[in-house]
Amino acid sequence: MYLDDLLLVADELARAGWAEANAGNVSVRLPDEALAELPLGPGGPWTPLARPVPELAGEHMLVTARGCQMRLVSRRPQRDCGVLELSGDGAAWRVRWGLEGTTPTSELPSHLLSHAVRKARSGGAERVILHTHPPALIALCHVRAWDTRSLNQLLWSLHPEGVCLFPGALAYLPFAIPGSVEIAEQTCAAFAEHAMVLWEYHGVFASAPTADAAFGMVQAAEKAAVIYRDACAMGGVRRGLSPAQIRQVAASLGITPAPGILGEEDGSHAV
Ligand code: 2HA
Ligand code: ZN
């Protein structure tokens, strides 16, 4: 089931146009019951991690492969994804299934460190981390300088579903080198407060209980950015949901928006 969900979301990422060439990667922290569904082998040699993750000691992670193309993962799952076992001290991994002739995603440090944070933060509920390149959100980075507050003030003001589908806000992370330990550590710090992070000029990292939920969060944020783009093309954004309206929408569903985003003022946000 977890493998099927990963294959479906890989197709979906490609169809959405968020996964050009080898863009994007997905990882799933597998529950014990899922291991019985997969034909796990005895395991190859251990590979040490640059940053050990003791919080994930002994866990099994389903991950996409380095350089794989999202549009092809469902056609050749044994090559384009696989199951890693983390050692008893969380300092190394070995392949138990798949990843035939290849290695795990280049963003493995970000995935593992982020899983460690979100596992604790969600009481174990969040199991999927998804990285992708949604074009309208990336384009926003090129329009002006943002921080987490100004970015979410804008995104939540564009559509009432925004605050409902990512109430924890989309954290804004200044540019860092893809695949680096630096980007992993910064993502981790942002994930302590938020379930979704925008890497400046690059893409989104989202954490959720399921692949569908992670995809939905990114979709909602990207939709808001597309609405912004369309409104700009129609002459510019002159009005939008006020902080009071955003709060009312959230309250109607019993949702608490992330603190520090909505000010006390009641007018539309200047954008
Ligand atoms: O997997 O998207 O960030 C390729 C990438 C790196
Ligand atoms: Zn990327």
Side-chain angles (χ1 to χ4, degrees):
M1 170 196 153
Y2 287 87
L3 176 60
D4 288 346
D5 286 352
L6 180 138
L7 301 181
L8 281 173
V9 91
D11 284 345
E12 206 62 57
L13 290 167
R15 245 196 313 272
W18 302 348
E20 74 286 354
N22 64 337
N25 26 77
V26 185
S27 65
V28 185
R29 191 170 55 78
L30 294 169
D32 287 346
E33 65 268 22
L35 300 180
E37 294 172 14
L38 291 160
L40 299 186
W46 292 99
T47 301
L49 285 164
R51 281 281 187 287
V53 271
E55 301 89 338
L56 300 182
E59 296 253 25
H60 290 76
M61 313 294 300
L62 176 61
V63 299
T64 50
R66 178 184 289 262
C68 73
Q69 304 213 5
M70 284 298 153
R71 68 193 176 85
L72 298 177
V73 175
S74 66
R75 290 211 211 150
R76 44 188 197 198
Q78 269 170 278
R79 194 184 97 171
D80 285 355
C81 60
V83 175
L84 306 182
E85 176 188 352
L86 292 178
S87 57
D89 56 1
W93 55 266
R94 62 179 178 176
V95 178
R96 295 289 306 274
W97 176 80
L99 293 170
E100 286 174 357
T102 183
T103 53
T105 165
S106 58
E107 301 289 4
L108 189 66
S110 284
H111 279 265
L112 294 182
L113 292 177
S114 299
H115 272 291
V117 173
R118 294 308 303 179
K119 178 185 172 186
R121 190 77 170 75
S122 69
E126 291 177 18
R127 293 192 169 275
V128 178
I129 290 189
L130 183 154
H131 167 57
T132 189
H133 298 176
L137 282 169
I138 297 166
L140 265 186
C141 304
H142 298 275
V143 171
R144 55 163 274 192
W146 301 96
D147 56 24
T148 299
R149 184 165 192 261
S150 57
L151 177 70
N152 289 274
Q153 283 181 347
L154 173 72
L155 296 176
W156 288 352
S157 75
L158 291 160
H159 195 283
E161 287 291 293
V163 75
C164 305
L165 292 172
F166 52 101
L170 172 59
Y172 191 82
L173 226 72
F175 182 74
I177 300 299
S180 63
V181 170
E182 182 198 10
I183 203 169
E185 286 174 344
Q186 289 178 9
T187 304
C188 235
F191 267 156
E193 300 296 329
H194 306 274
M196 187 163 60
V197 178
L198 178 59
W199 287 353
E200 191 169 54
Y201 312 135
H202 181 160
V204 174
F205 236 71
S207 174
T210 64
D212 274 348
F215 184 86
M217 277 164 54
V218 181
Q219 205 176 22
E222 173 69 358
K223 180 69 172 273
V226 168
I227 292 168
Y228 179 72
R229 183 187 68 197
D230 290 352
C232 288
M234 291 174 184
V237 174
R238 296 195 186 84
R239 52 205 299 271
L241 289 151
S242 69
Q245 287 173 325
I246 295 166
R247 270 198 217 91
Q248 283 164 13
V249 170
S252 75
L253 295 172
I255 288 168
T256 308
I261 307 292
L262 299 169
E264 292 310 310
E265 75 281 12
D266 200 12
S268 293
H269 296 297
V271 288

